[in-house]
């Protein structure tokens, strides 16, 4: 110990090893980045179709004539790059149509782990028509390891028969395309017979912990079990709509 008012110089040598966080992560992430930029930053309704068309075509902001559309596209590009630097996926789990694959490939090169091809619905013909148009290109580009489809958001057991039928239709046509759901099957398909049509189960974190003994059993059957947070965590237990999947 030192007496009051005294000081000592201590020699210190520090060796700093050069390293950086890799852009590609080991843990996959599915994130829903809502397209709310036009509301937050302001874009008149008449200009929104041009904005959406530019996104669908992956048009660079500098190639857009309208200054307001160009401004918002630049904000969108910089926001996506910021999210990727923070290891967050600029994707949408509720998308009603496939993303632009040029943009997806660029984001994967910057570290994105997964992307949603389509939010599937009970309309099997609609799901099939959309996937038939995009899946050959996804496979040709080698993007399939990063792809999945999502559906039946937080549904209860009464909709499991419908979910099985819809997912089975997709699985029969594209067996290598992973199917993800947050349906409330806390046996992860082991007790409900859904293990043959679901590849990725994503329960709320409390349900993940409550059913932790089922997780290795489900994984042993070839399924993945992730988890997600829902407007929390909070001390009290409550119900809320969810927008983030981890």
């Amino acid at each position: 110990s030192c007496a009051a008012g005294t000081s000592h110089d201590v020699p210190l040598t520090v060796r700093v090893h050069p390293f950086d966080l890799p852009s590609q992560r080991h843990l996959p992430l599915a994130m829903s980045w809502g397209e709310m930029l036009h509301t937050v930053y302001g874009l008149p309704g008449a200009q929104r179709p041009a904005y959406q068309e530019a996104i669908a075509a992956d048009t660079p902001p500098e190639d857009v004539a309208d200054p307001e559309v160009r401004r918002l596209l630049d904000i969108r590009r910089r926001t996506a790059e910021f999210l990727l630097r923070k290891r967050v996926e600029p994707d949408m789990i509720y998308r009603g149509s496939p993303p632009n694959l040029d943009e997806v490939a660029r984001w994967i090169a910057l570290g994105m782990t997964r992307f949603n091809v389509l939010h599937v619905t009970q309309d099997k013909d609609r799901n099939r028509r959309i996937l038939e148009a995009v899946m050959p290109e996804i496979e040709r580009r080698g993007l399939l390891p990063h792809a999945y489809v999502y559906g039946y958001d937080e549904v209860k057991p009464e909709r499991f028969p419908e979910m099985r039928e819809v997912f089975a239709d997709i699985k029969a046509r594209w067996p290598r395309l992973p199917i993800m759901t947050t349906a409330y099957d806390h046996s992860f398909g082991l007790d409900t017979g859904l293990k043959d049509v679901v590849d990725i189960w994503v329960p709320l974190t409390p349900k993940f912990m409550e059913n932790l003994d089922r997780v290795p059993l489900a994984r042993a059957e070839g399924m993945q079990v992730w988890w997600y947070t829902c407007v929390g965590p909070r001390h009290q237990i409550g119900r809320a709509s969810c927008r983030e999947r981890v």
Side-chain angles (χ1 to χ4, degrees):
S1 61
C2 299
T6 63
S7 63
H8 296 271
D9 293 328
V10 179
L12 180 64
T13 301
V14 177
R15 175 179 295 178
V16 179
H17 294 277
F19 74 94
D20 197 2
L21 294 176
S23 60
Q24 295 291 339
R25 302 181 299 282
H26 294 291
L27 293 177
L29 172 66
M31 182 75 181
S32 197
W33 176 45
E35 284 288 348
M36 299 298 293
L37 295 180
H38 61 270
T39 301
V40 175
Y41 291 96
L43 184 69
Q47 293 166 297
R48 292 181 187 177
Y51 172 69
Q52 295 297 337
E53 288 171 9
I55 292 173
D58 195 31
T59 305
E62 55 271 18
D63 292 347
V64 175
D66 188 306
E68 286 302 305
V69 175
R70 184 169 64 247
R71 177 184 68 91
L72 196 58
L73 286 171
D74 182 62
I75 291 172
R76 182 180 183 274
R77 179 170 64 180
R78 289 188 288 117
T79 302
E81 291 172 354
F82 169 81
L83 290 172
L84 287 164
R85 288 197 302 272
K86 300 300 181 182
R87 308 308 195 262
V88 177
E89 319 286 29
D91 195 34
M92 168 58 75
I93 65 170
Y94 301 114
R95 64 169 70 258
S97 59
N100 182 285
L101 297 182
D102 290 332
E103 185 173 64
V104 165
R106 187 166 61 252
W107 286 349
I108 288 173
L110 293 174
M112 186 165 76
T113 62
R114 298 292 187 275
F115 74 97
N116 181 27
V117 179
L118 181 68
H119 181 208
V120 302
T121 70
Q122 68 270 24
D123 187 342
K124 291 187 291 184
D125 291 337
R126 171 261 188 190
N127 299 336
R128 194 180 309 137
R129 182 178 64 255
I130 294 173
L131 291 174
E132 283 175 348
V134 71
M135 284 304 298
E137 185 65 9
I138 286 176
E139 295 189 63
R140 187 189 72 79
R141 290 176 176 236
L143 299 175
L144 188 58
H146 302 275
Y148 67 91
V149 293
Y150 176 77
Y152 288 86
D153 189 276
E154 299 180 337
V155 300
K156 296 179 180 179
E158 55 264 30
R159 294 193 65 188
F160 287 178
E162 174 193 313
M163 183 174 77
R164 161 176 276 284
E165 184 177 344
V166 169
F167 284 173
D169 188 68
I170 295 172
K171 185 63 65 180
R173 289 168 170 77
W174 299 280
R176 295 192 299 142
L177 177 62
I179 297 175
M180 177 193 294
T181 186
T182 52
Y184 288 157
D185 179 356
H186 301 131
S187 77
F188 312 129
L190 296 173
D191 298 341
T192 58
L194 292 171
K195 66 179 182 178
D196 297 328
V197 295
V198 175
D199 300 286
I200 306 172
W201 294 98
V202 191
L204 277 164
T205 45
K207 296 302 180 182
F208 180 90
M209 296 305 299
E210 290 171 14
N211 300 279
L212 199 57
D213 59 325
R214 311 304 301 274
V215 172
L217 300 177
R219 289 173 174 166
E221 293 284 342
M223 295 175 284
Q224 298 181 38
V225 183
W226 299 12
W227 50 263
Y228 73 98
T229 59
C230 178
V231 195
R234 296 181 295 180
H235 176 68
Q236 69 273 22
I237 297 176
R239 297 183 62 186
S241 62
C242 306
R243 291 296 179 269
E244 296 185 2
R245 314 291 179 218
V246 180

